[in-house]
Amino acid sequence: MQRLLRFVDGVSTWVGQLFAWLIVALTLLVSWEVFSRYALNHPNPWSFDLMIMMYGTAFMMGGAYTLAKNGHVRGDVLYRFFPPRLQAGIDLVLYIAFFLPGVIALVWAGYFYAAESVAINEHSTLTANGPPLYPFKIVIPCAGVLLLLQGLVEIVRCIICLRMGDWPSREEDVEEVDVDKLKAMVRQEPQ
Amino acid sequence: MKKEIWFGVIMLAAVVVGVLAFMPPPSEMSNGHLGLLMLALVVVAIMLGFPTAFTLMGMGVLFAWLAFHSRDPAVAWQQTLDLMVQRAYSVMANDVLISIPLFIFMGYLVERANLIERLFKSLHIAMARVPAALAVATIVTCAVFATATGIVGAVVTLMGLLALPSMLKAGYSTQLAAGAITAGGCLGILIPPSVLLIVYGATAGVSVVKLYAGAFFPGIMLAALYVGYVIVLAKIKPALAPPLPEAERHLALPALSEQLAAGGARRSALAGLAGALRSTGVPRGPVLGQMGVVLLPALAFVLIMGASYRLVTSPVVVDSAAAGLEFSSADEAPADASGASPAAAGGDAGLAEPPASDALSEPPPADGLAEATATATATTTAKTVTATTAAAAEPALTPAEKMAADGERRPAPKAFWITLGIGAAVLLAFYARFNFHRVEIFKMMLGSLFPLAILILAVLGSIVFGLATPTEAAALGAFGGILLAAAYRRFNLPMLKESSFLAVKTSAMVCWLFVGSSIFSAAFALLGGQELINAWVLSMDLTPLQFMILAQFIIFLLGWPLEWTEIIVIFMPIFIPLLPHFNVDPLFFGLLVALNLQTAFLSPPVAMAAFYLKGVAPPHVTLNQIFLGMLPFMGIQVLALVLLYVFPDIGLWLPRVLYQ
């Protein structure tokens, strides 16, 4: 069971980290575009569409990754003081009450939305001869399915926690405030 | 379970019971009441600790379906699904939110360039004579670093590792030290470029550019108030922040400077170096290098004044050339500012570049001043860019032609000469007191403060002066962050990976929250909850002042349990439609909210900043001491809020001057 959980975590993480490179690419693209427009006097009409698509794709595909790492913001004023079993119970109920209907609806709606876009071979209308828009819309159901899978894994985690009395472990990942790393950073600085 | 939990659960139950009690009997319940019920439920659900984005999404779908169902049950499902996917897509294609991942990415890169220790050391030595020097240096370091990174947790943790031990060792009161670190660390969400203002701009439909221009001075004001408070406190009660012992202030001079300083006693560094150049027996190269550093301020002054002379006297101002340069300088400044070469050469270019970019409205050949003084990099950039623009643009567009055409310049206004005079006097005074000791401090600043300051100012300046969109500036800032990290030899693949992974997680968090909240607020509007609230608030017949106080008080209270992202994306859509009734500018409201949300980080017992600090503080520092230390700073935040309300021009002056 734990292996299956880890596997889905791994998939979400891998996809999320893959799409994280889009942010690096976006940085370079916009920087290049600015340079190209002002220094070379050669603006690219497709760049704005591309920027939006890169941003939208990056954050949508990162959703499951963030969920796998428990990174979505939660109001933890009370939550953090709850014993694990109560946490898991609340989470389980709310995953079923809120998460599943919301995300299933998103996948369902996103599927038809994207299918329609593919059917009419939709292109962006921001500029004349805009780039195709349907790959961007296909991202919605894809991100939704990934999120749904990860959500199911989280539900299983809740059930495990309810049984065992403690949360099953997660794979480690880079964290925003990693005290050990920050300590090392401060120490190794010369002077 | 602990008492606090019972207290919290009872409070939640009270909210639900209270709302239910206010509801009319089910037979008379309108959709609007359903909307209010939904709002109350969502607050409860968020407090239960479920990821907020999905709480909002789930509730939004359920209640949107209810709303559509009450109109036409046959198509309710289809409409709900359509609404949902369109809302999600509108967030994906949002041209304001696109700068969020870029600014976040820039923040992580700058954080990993690890400038904070140098920054803190140089500032604390530079300010050794100021009362409560360490606390002042802490606040300034926090302000600069938090502005560049925008990551509260990391800044507070790092300063807790760096500044807290030094302050405690120097005999500072624990509370003052803790307060300075936590309050300073939170400045990053207010001082632009901050993500909070983008989120607000996207939610409220206010231009991010104006928000940035508006938040600049209130942010500086808040930082200045913190510094002022610390200094005054140290004056009144020196025991709380004893001055540093002489040994701590001492800064070892390099051998050469030591030798020169010993020869000329307390002479000014300029005279000392000039003397050394004439005398024999001193190595030439290092002396010239020192001389270059020493002359930097003068160089910068000459460049700025020269540029502004050209600017005020040039007949026509054409911005195409200037814009082009500003851009290249925006991404080159950090690179030059810190190149692989030692601080001297690096800082040189960094200092010289921004003025040089102003000087751009003039053709290089005509420009004796800039030509002679600007560093090699600055001039080449200037030349290439002017050359390319000149070549590419219509001939009539370049200032050179313009000037040649009408051939004469306007006389410089009196204000220019007055500024020049005062500046020159200040410069002379500065050089008279600029001894070798201060040269060393100056060099340290060149390596820490200036690159960061230039990065921030380049990003902010290009946005505020309309040279770049926030997205473009954010991307250039992130690119600058890469260069900065590279210059400090911190740039490598793992670091880039970590930064981008963190950036994608944080942006996914913020943007999914947006997806959830936009579905939720659509449902809320469909149910007519907004109209009910509007009618209710208007029926209270408030004056604008009362309304503002009420609104800010509610936001203040919400900041206690919730995070700023949640407050803005969920509750701003409710407040914003009320603003026109009270003639409140959404821009001004946004500034007040941004200032107000500073308190959200500091309000006990859930202040995140306190927990970050506690995580790295020595064991004898208790959470209570940290909370007590934060209280005066919360008071200052409220004071700043009042000041901004009473003198709106603190925030509104800059946007008005720039955009009207």
Side-chain angles (χ1 to χ4, degrees):
Chain A
M1 196 65 200
Q2 187 69 3
R3 274 178 61 197
L4 183 70
L5 299 189
R6 287 291 176 97
F7 175 73
V8 178
D9 275 4
V11 172
S12 300
T13 306
W14 188 80
V15 173
Q17 296 189 339
L18 184 72
F19 282 90
W21 290 103
L22 270 184
I23 294 185
V24 182
L26 181 62
T27 302
L28 297 178
L29 171 79
V30 181
S31 301
W32 170 254
E33 172 61 20
V34 168
F35 178 75
S36 163
R37 171 159 18 117
Y38 284 94
L40 310 181
N41 202 19
H42 182 263
N44 297 306
W46 42 260
S47 73
F48 188 69
D49 274 314
L50 196 60
M51 283 175 205
I52 292 278
M53 287 184 197
M54 286 167 100
Y55 139 79
T57 312
F59 95 77
M60 286 298 276
M61 299 307 276
Y65 172 38
T66 312
L67 187 61
K69 302 303 172 198
N70 202 3
H72 281 290
V73 60
R74 31 168 105 216
D76 59 355
V77 183
L78 299 171
Y79 188 84
R80 102 174 91 194
F81 297 109
F82 288 155
R85 275 218 166 94
L86 183 58
Q87 289 181 343
I90 292 175
D91 274 2
L92 182 62
V93 172
L94 295 186
Y95 265 114
I96 293 171
F98 293 150
F99 183 90
L100 290 183
V103 177
I104 289 176
L106 186 72
V107 174
W108 189 260
Y111 173 74
F112 286 104
Y113 194 57
E116 218 166 84
S117 178
V118 172
I120 59 169
N121 189 16
E122 189 178 16
H123 280 60
S124 167
T125 51
L126 280 175
T127 49
N129 285 330
L133 210 52
Y134 53 86
F136 188 42
K137 292 193 172 170
I138 292 177
V139 167
I140 303 178
C142 292
V145 167
L146 207 58
L147 194 62
L148 192 59
L149 270 182
Q150 188 61 46
L152 292 175
V153 166
E154 298 301 316
I155 289 177
V156 174
R157 282 215 165 91
C158 292
I159 295 172
I160 293 179
C161 176
L162 276 179
R163 285 225 185 123
M164 317 285 287
D166 209 354
W167 286 104
S169 63
R170 287 172 193 272
E171 203 87 40
E172 299 221 335
D173 191 41
V174 50
E175 279 176 45
E176 181 173 291
V177 181
D178 184 337
V179 173
D180 293 330
K181 224 173 230 173
L182 292 177
K183 269 185 187 157
M185 210 160 106
V186 169
R187 297 269 154 73
Q188 77 186 46
E189 184 69 20
Q191 283 187 17
Chain B
M1 273 197 286
K2 290 186 204 159
K3 273 183 209 149
E4 296 92 332
I5 302 176
W6 281 116
F7 174 73
V9 172
I10 289 168
M11 289 295 284
L12 289 185
V15 171
V16 177
V17 172
V19 171
L20 287 179
F22 267 105
M23 288 289 148
S27 54
E28 294 166 30
M29 220 152 107
S30 72
N31 271 346
H33 293 111
L34 213 54
L36 289 189
L37 186 66
M38 158 169 150
L39 194 63
L41 278 182
V42 90
V43 171
V44 172
I46 289 172
M47 298 284 282
L48 283 178
F50 192 67
T52 314
F54 304 116
T55 309
L56 291 169
M57 202 155 109
M59 281 237 174
V61 171
L62 298 181
F63 279 86
W65 181 77
L66 278 179
F68 283 125
H69 188 76
S70 69
R71 291 183 193 175
D72 184 359
V75 290
W77 268 116
Q78 195 51 47
Q79 281 177 323
T80 311
L81 292 178
D82 284 349
L83 173 86
M84 184 159 184
V85 74
Q86 267 157 19
R87 283 294 163 146
Y89 184 72
S90 74
V91 176
M92 287 170 73
N94 189 311
D95 60 346
V96 177
L97 294 178
I98 179 173
S99 35
I100 287 182
L102 294 170
F103 272 125
I104 291 174
F105 185 47
M106 165 184 162
Y108 287 122
L109 285 169
V110 172
E111 184 212 328
R112 280 169 168 62
N114 200 9
L115 281 173
I116 195 164
E117 184 156 15
R118 293 164 193 248
L119 188 61
F120 179 60
K121 284 225 167 93
S122 62
L123 283 172
H124 125 224
I125 292 180
M127 292 176 180
R129 280 157 198 272
V130 180
L134 278 171
V136 175
T138 302
I139 293 172
V140 177
T141 309
C142 282
V144 173
F145 199 69
T147 304
T149 63
I151 315 162
V152 174
V155 177
V156 172
T157 309
L158 276 170
M159 287 311 275
L161 289 167
L162 276 172
L164 191 63
S166 355
M167 281 197 270
L168 294 180
K169 210 173 87 191
Y172 279 48
S173 94
T174 313
Q175 297 173 10
L176 178 67
I181 292 174
T182 45
C186 300
L187 282 170
I189 64 160
L190 172 62
I191 304 179
S194 77
V195 174
L196 182 142
L197 294 171
I198 304 176
V199 174
Y200 178 84
T203 314
V206 180
S207 134
V208 175
V209 179
K210 282 188 185 174
L211 279 168
Y212 274 5
F216 187 68
F217 283 117
I220 305 271
M221 175 185 77
L222 188 58
L225 284 175
Y226 289 163
V227 170
Y229 164 75
V230 171
I231 292 179
V232 169
L233 193 69
K235 278 276 184 204
I236 299 173
K237 294 184 185 163
L240 291 182
L244 288 174
E246 199 56 46
E248 290 277 316
R249 290 193 213 172
H250 184 71
L251 181 65
L253 295 178
L256 175 69
S257 308
E258 195 74 72
Q259 187 190 341
L260 292 176
R266 300 194 120 269
R267 265 198 305 178
S268 103
L270 192 61
L273 285 171
L277 274 182
R278 262 181 271 121
S279 71
T280 46
V282 188
R284 279 247 151 158
V287 174
L288 279 176
Q290 284 275 45
M291 196 73 174
V293 177
V294 169
L295 282 179
L296 270 180
L299 204 82
F301 177 70
V302 169
L303 272 175
I304 292 171
M305 289 320 283
S308 43
Y309 178 79
R310 292 283 174 165
L311 215 69
V312 293
T313 56
S314 69
V316 188
V317 183
V318 178
D319 52 358
S320 69
L325 190 73
E326 191 69 32
F327 272 117
S328 54
S329 85
D331 63 28
E332 243 140 87
D336 298 340
S338 38
S341 51
D348 193 347
L351 258 187
E353 275 235 77
S357 64
D358 294 13
L360 229 272
S361 49
E362 39 192 318
D367 177 16
L369 262 181
E371 189 77 89
T373 47
T375 59
T377 15
T379 344
T380 15
T381 329
K383 271 186 177 166
T384 35
V385 176
T386 328
T388 42
T389 20
E394 290 294 300
L397 267 183
T398 59
E401 257 89 355
K402 281 277 179 204
M403 250 179 280
D406 35 35
E408 51 188 88
R409 299 180 146 272
R410 286 173 293 160
K414 207 183 247 169
F416 173 80
W417 296 113
I418 294 174
T419 320
L420 184 69
I422 294 174
V426 170
L427 201 64
L428 275 180
F430 171 75
Y431 271 110
R433 297 172 52 87
F434 199 49
N435 56 27
F436 280 105
H437 198 79
R438 296 204 167 98
V439 173
E440 285 310 304
I441 295 176
F442 182 66
K443 272 202 215 159
M444 286 175 75
M445 303 265 253
L446 276 182
S448 57
L449 178 63
F450 290 149
L452 269 185
I454 288 168
L455 182 65
I456 296 169
L457 291 179
V459 168
L460 199 56
S462 52
I463 297 175
V464 164
F465 292 106
L467 298 171
T469 64
T471 312
E472 290 165 347
L476 291 177
F479 194 66
I482 293 180
L483 296 179
L484 196 70
Y488 284 87
R489 311 243 165 87
R490 294 273 168 194
F491 184 74
N492 47 35
L493 197 62
M495 178 262 196
L496 184 68
K497 260 187 183 168
E498 282 183 6
S499 305
S500 60
F501 294 169
L502 281 172
V504 85
K505 277 199 286 185
T506 311
S507 358
M509 186 266 277
V510 174
C511 296
W512 274 95
L513 193 60
F514 249 99
V515 172
S517 85
S518 68
I519 294 169
F520 176 83
S521 50
F524 188 65
L526 272 174
L527 286 169
Q530 185 64 48
E531 280 131 55
L532 212 65
I533 287 191
N534 283 5
W536 180 62
V537 172
L538 293 184
S539 73
M540 288 200 294
D541 202 20
L542 297 171
T543 64
L545 177 65
Q546 284 169 331
F547 168 74
M548 283 299 250
I549 293 175
L550 183 69
Q552 297 301 328
F553 186 66
I554 292 174
I555 293 167
F556 178 82
L557 287 185
L558 289 172
W560 175 67
L562 300 181
E563 295 207 18
W564 63 262
T565 35
E566 297 164 331
I567 297 176
I568 291 192
V569 301
I570 304 172
F571 293 96
M572 284 310 115
I574 297 172
F575 281 111
I576 302 293
L578 291 167
L579 298 182
H581 294 302
F582 297 100
N583 279 327
V584 180
D585 183 356
L587 168 66
F588 183 54
F589 192 73
L591 300 183
L592 287 174
V593 170
L595 204 52
N596 195 342
L597 286 179
Q598 293 271 310
T599 58
F601 283 92
L602 296 192
S603 46
V606 282
M608 293 195 314
F611 290 101
Y612 284 126
L613 186 60
K614 174 66 186 150
V616 291
H620 65 84
V621 176
T622 65
L623 209 49
N624 274 343
Q625 281 177 316
I626 299 177
F627 284 144
L628 276 178
M630 293 186 323
L631 281 182
F633 288 92
M634 266 183 89
I636 296 176
Q637 290 168 347
V638 175
L639 174 71
L641 202 56
V642 173
L643 278 178
L644 181 59
Y645 185 77
V646 177
F647 306 104
D649 268 353
I650 299 172
L652 297 180
W653 175 78
L654 193 59
R656 194 169 56 228
V657 168
L658 287 173
Y659 309 117
Q660 276 179 15

